[in-house]
Amino acid sequence: MTDQTSDDEFFDANDIDQYNTDIQRELMRTWNNFARQQFGRTKLPVPMFDRSSISIWSILKQCIGKELSKVSMPIVWNEPISFLQRFSENVLYSYLLDRADECTDPIMRMQYVAAFAASSISSNIDRLSKPFNPLLGETYEFVQDDLPFRYMSEQVSHHPPVSAFLCESKDNGERWRFYGSILPKAKFSVKRMEVNPKGLLTLELKRHREIYTWESVTCTIHNIVVGRLWFEYHGTMEIINHSNKMKAILNFKPYSWSSKELHKVEGFIFDSQKHKLRGLYGYWTDSLYSIDIERFEVFLKQQKKEAKSASKCHQQQITNSPTTATNDTDNTDLDEELPDVDPSHEQLNLPPNSLTLWRIMPKLEYGLQYYNFSLFTMALNQLTEENKNNRSSLPPTDSRFRPDIRKMEEGDIDSAGQEKDRLEEKQRAVRRAMEKRREEWQPRWFRLIKHTVTGQDVWVSNEKYWQRNWANCPEIY
């Protein structure tokens, strides 16, 4: 069945049910295989060190009102990976892009793309440590024989800090390409820190001649002064298919004190005439579902009714509380308490025939000892025997060769801090020398162009990285 004939063919209810069943069976088969995937080592060399005696507020109070990229943070609040490595976690569920490439139904393709976009932040669950800021010219690649994608990235600018990346199918991107750049903007206030990852993300499905674009959503970290740290993603993600004008709009809901729900995502897929085609619902920390539009509308109405009732009950409890009038207002202003989440939200009671588009990999039982890393993250900074025996297999700028990160994951915090300071001073010295010579930094593997569809500036690969000629790489470590 081709795209041109799919709208003309007639499907009865049994055909549709069988179609959905076949899709669900294939998705679950793929997910089960993926969940058993081994990426490399299963633990870091040593567990995470104890931070219980360290005050984050004593560190962050000097940063209020400043850009995070312009502040040198103590190494104790880092995790032993670079931001380039951490961003590679966004493409972990790229098998969804393989499914989209194989699919002839444009609505189903959009569902896969929306699931991939929602899944891209799922690796951040309970990750409150800061990755190392990339050095100018730093690169990172991730390729495995048994994974269907290859990923590479480069720090193309330091002020402002811009990281460019390319993830593509292993056939030189003949099936799909996902690329873009991220300029993380973060600001502190007395109660919270807000991180806004600026940057257009682009997906090309080559066989279907489709181009999708979207931007990520805002992350807010609460209780940076007192109380237990917690964070949430919130905002609207608009995924546009520029070829047929179809859209998926995902709303990442802020925490609701009345309904006790956190991390919820809900939205719709619209056609070019703004007609609703499918409902999308789930939690970015767990899963995303696709639902028949009529059933989804009824489902949402019921949820709103229940939320209104819960809100009324919550307000009555506050009014009747004997401590309401005597609460310390200063503490209330400073401490945004850890959300009281209703665990029953996991029992979604979704309408019949809802499709499970994506489900997160199970968390590691021992992950808390290792910065809440997943199995995938554990492998990101691993130097394989091939890398050790043949260092030319990677460029000398690869994040795996950063001595500060290597020292930290080995548990030598003092040496890691010294190496971090040395690398940052070396970078400043190079910048001063270039300014004196009136030279501008030129990225090795990316170039800045006008996006063919949006007209925005976008960093794209210059197609030279995988030739693996490292002769002109800078010595940044």
Side-chain angles (χ1 to χ4, degrees):
M1 182 178 68
T2 65
D3 289 347
Q4 287 75 22
T5 62
S6 61
D7 292 336
D8 297 328
E9 293 207 26
F10 174 78
F11 291 94
D12 62 24
N14 291 332
D15 289 331
I16 294 174
D17 287 346
Q18 186 59 49
Y19 177 65
N20 289 339
T21 299
D22 291 343
I23 290 174
Q24 189 69 90
R25 184 182 295 115
E26 177 61 22
L27 276 169
M28 291 308 298
R29 184 189 66 80
T30 305
W31 185 87
N32 285 331
N33 291 337
F34 180 73
R36 292 193 290 265
Q37 178 75 46
Q38 295 295 313
F39 304 101
R41 64 185 182 184
T42 58
K43 294 181 179 180
L44 299 181
V46 298
M48 174 181 168
F49 57 92
D50 183 17
R51 294 173 173 166
S52 58
S53 62
I54 303 170
S55 167
I56 189 171
W57 176 238
S58 65
I59 298 168
L60 293 182
K61 62 184 178 182
Q62 61 181 312
C63 309
I64 293 178
K66 298 180 182 179
E67 285 288 347
L68 185 63
S69 62
K70 297 180 180 178
V71 176
S72 181
M73 299 285 286
I75 202 169
V76 292
W77 288 105
N78 281 46
E79 58 183 11
I81 56 172
S82 166
F83 178 79
L84 298 184
Q85 293 170 309
R86 182 153 177 174
F87 194 80
S88 70
E89 297 177 79
N90 288 30
V91 304
L92 175 58
Y93 297 94
S94 61
Y95 70 82
L96 291 163
L97 302 184
D98 293 326
R99 299 284 81 79
D101 166 71
E102 297 163 1
C103 185
T104 59
D105 178 2
I107 301 175
M108 197 66 230
R109 284 200 297 275
M110 178 59 89
Q111 292 176 76
Y112 288 132
V113 173
F116 172 75
S119 76
S120 65
I121 59 174
S122 62
S123 62
N124 294 325
I125 300 173
D126 298 328
R127 297 275 293 281
L128 288 165
S129 299
K130 177 182 176 295
F132 282 69
N133 289 338
L135 300 169
L136 185 61
E138 181 178 336
T139 61
Y140 182 69
E141 72 167 69
F142 192 87
V143 184
Q144 279 193 353
D145 291 340
D146 53 352
L147 289 176
F149 69 88
R150 62 184 188 182
Y151 170 92
M152 56 85 60
S153 56
E154 179 182 12
Q155 190 70 5
V156 295
S157 173
H158 187 62
H159 289 302
V162 179
S163 307
F165 75 93
L166 167 67
C167 182
E168 59 186 354
S169 54
K170 264 191 180 168
D171 50 5
N172 295 318
E174 289 299 318
R175 291 184 294 123
W176 57 264
R177 280 191 150 199
F178 176 51
Y179 57 90
S181 60
I182 298 295
L183 196 170
K185 287 184 170 289
K187 285 198 174 181
F188 300 90
S189 67
V190 176
K191 291 194 293 184
R192 63 182 71 90
M193 178 174 73
E194 189 172 281
V195 182
N196 193 354
K198 295 288 187 181
L200 185 71
L201 308 176
T202 301
L203 169 67
E204 296 181 8
L205 295 181
K206 297 292 191 66
R207 186 162 66 93
H208 304 286
R209 299 181 181 178
E210 290 180 336
I211 295 178
Y212 300 78
T213 62
W214 66 91
E215 294 187 20
S216 194
V217 289
T218 299
C219 176
T220 296
I221 303 171
H222 300 268
N223 290 346
I224 63 171
V225 180
V226 294
R228 182 177 170 185
L229 289 173
W230 63 278
F231 71 95
E232 59 182 334
Y233 280 90
H234 53 90
T236 300
M237 179 185 290
E238 184 178 70
I239 305 166
I240 304 173
N241 182 335
H242 294 274
S243 303
N244 61 17
K245 308 305 178 186
M246 192 179 292
K247 290 183 181 181
I249 297 181
L250 296 176
N251 293 308
F252 289 70
K253 301 283 191 175
Y255 174 66
S256 169
W257 293 95
S258 58
S259 64
K260 307 298 184 185
E261 290 185 314
L262 182 64
H263 308 319
K264 182 191 280 189
V265 181
E266 65 181 46
F268 297 91
I269 293 176
F270 299 86
D271 66 15
S272 61
Q273 304 300 315
K274 299 184 179 179
H275 299 136
K276 294 176 180 177
L277 302 174
R278 295 287 294 184
L280 299 170
Y281 186 87
Y283 294 83
W284 65 263
T285 53
D286 181 75
S287 51
L288 189 73
Y289 301 86
S290 170
I291 306 172
D292 170 81
I293 194 63
E294 292 182 2
R295 291 170 173 169
F296 189 52
E297 297 278 17
V298 173
F299 174 75
L300 290 182
K301 286 180 181 178
Q302 180 62 28
Q303 285 222 320
K304 288 179 180 178
K305 182 179 179 181
E306 293 173 358
K308 186 175 181 180
S309 176
S311 178
K312 185 177 180 181
C313 179
H314 179 68
Q315 190 59 45
Q316 288 176 344
Q317 290 175 348
I318 293 176
T319 302
N320 296 333
S321 173
T323 61
T324 299
T326 59
N327 278 342
D328 186 337
T329 55
D330 289 336
N331 283 343
T332 302
D333 287 341
L334 292 177
D335 185 3
E336 300 176 313
E337 295 180 1
L338 190 70
D340 180 15
V341 179
D342 182 0
S344 67
H345 83 253
E346 297 175 0
Q347 302 169 5
L348 297 177
N349 298 317
L350 294 174
N353 297 322
S354 299
L355 283 175
T356 306
L357 297 173
W358 160 76
R359 186 176 293 280
I360 197 170
M361 287 178 62
K363 290 185 66 174
L364 294 175
E365 292 181 0
Y366 55 85
L368 185 60
Q369 304 173 47
Y370 297 95
Y371 306 89
N372 282 304
F373 281 6
S374 67
L375 276 179
F376 182 73
T377 314
M378 296 283 190
L380 293 179
N381 201 48
Q382 180 180 8
L383 276 172
T384 64
E385 289 303 316
E386 179 186 356
N387 299 148
K388 294 175 183 177
N389 298 331
N390 181 18
R391 287 179 69 96
S392 63
S393 63
L394 292 171
T397 51
D398 193 273
S399 303
R400 295 173 181 86
F401 298 130
R402 278 189 64 157
D404 49 353
I405 296 178
R406 185 64 56 192
K407 291 290 186 183
M408 186 178 190
E409 77 161 27
E410 292 172 350
D412 189 347
I413 304 303
D414 291 338
S415 294
Q418 294 169 6
E419 285 291 344
K420 177 175 177 287
D421 293 341
R422 179 185 68 82
L423 292 174
E424 290 175 349
E425 180 51 42
K426 181 177 181 178
Q427 181 171 240
R428 285 189 286 267
V430 170
R431 186 170 65 250
R432 288 193 298 267
M434 291 185 66
E435 289 173 351
K436 190 174 182 179
R437 297 192 301 266
R438 297 182 178 180
E439 294 179 0
E440 291 188 1
W441 179 265
Q442 297 297 324
R444 266 51 175 186
W445 314 115
F446 287 85
R447 57 193 177 93
L448 189 63
I449 66 169
K450 289 289 184 184
H451 197 285
T452 56
V453 173
T454 67
Q456 296 185 35
D457 289 340
V458 61
W459 288 95
V460 298
S461 170
N462 61 13
E463 309 301 337
K464 295 180 180 180
Y465 181 87
W466 300 110
Q467 297 174 15
R468 298 196 175 280
N469 181 354
W470 315 133
N472 295 320
C473 288
E475 295 182 6
I476 60 175
Y477 302 142

